[in-house]
Amino acid sequence: MRRCLLLVILNVGLLSACSATIPKPYDLVQALSLDSLQQSIMEFFQSYPILTSNKQVVSGNSACQYQQHQAFYKQGLMDAHTLVVRAQAVQQGQASVKPYEELLGNLYSLRAEHQQACFTQPQVELHRQRFAEILGAIN
């Protein structure tokens, strides 16, 4: 009887060690939020009026100035914060949260740079490339 019980315990132990792990659940809300933010960022870069040089814009109503894009930054930062919090709640480990934190950090950097001056064509391309790399790493 003891042998049989020992054999059953040993088999259960071996089977549990070989069992498959359930993959993490796909977070549809996270994916849709990320797609929406990605679209918003790419639309910002596509519609941004480019300066031909680094000179400051004199007109207070220029379309390239930060004040004209405050709604984009407010919504984008709010969405990025939400993505970070959701990733921390859903993901297993800090490694999976890091790209979301990089995305948030890049949005803050973009905003800070934009508050100083309008972007030139090379600056827009550099920022667009950075965001594409981060968003590619998340997707």
Side-chain angles (χ1 to χ4, degrees), residues 24 30 80-81 83-104 134 138:
K24 65 181 180 182
Q30 184 86 350
H81 274 286
L83 286 167
V84 169
V85 170
R86 192 165 185 95
Q88 289 170 339
V90 173
Q91 304 294 334
Q92 301 294 325
Q94 274 301 105
S96 57
V97 176
K98 186 174 178 159
Y100 293 101
E101 291 172 339
E102 284 182 47
L103 177 63
L104 178 61
I134 292 169
I138 294 174

Side-chain angles (χ1 to χ4, degrees), residues 16-99:
S16 65
C18 296
S19 65
T21 58
I22 299 172
K24 65 181 180 182
Y26 177 74
D27 190 347
L28 181 61
V29 173
Q30 184 86 350
L32 292 175
S33 298
L34 182 62
D35 287 346
S36 175
L37 180 57
Q38 181 175 3
Q39 181 179 358
S40 175
I41 290 169
M42 292 306 139
E43 285 174 359
F44 169 77
F45 287 124
Q46 288 173 352
S47 66
Y48 186 82
I50 304 295
L51 292 178
T52 55
S53 69
N54 276 329
K55 65 181 179 178
Q56 290 283 0
V57 176
V58 178
S59 170
N61 292 328
S62 176
C64 72
Q65 290 187 337
Y66 169 75
Q67 292 79 8
Q68 302 296 324
H69 302 277
Q70 286 182 359
F72 161 74
Y73 288 109
K74 182 179 179 182
Q75 186 64 47
L77 289 169
M78 187 172 57
D79 292 347
H81 274 286
T82 302
L83 286 167
V84 169
V85 170
R86 192 165 185 95
Q88 289 170 339
V90 173
Q91 304 294 334
Q92 301 294 325
Q94 274 301 105
S96 57
V97 176
K98 186 174 178 159

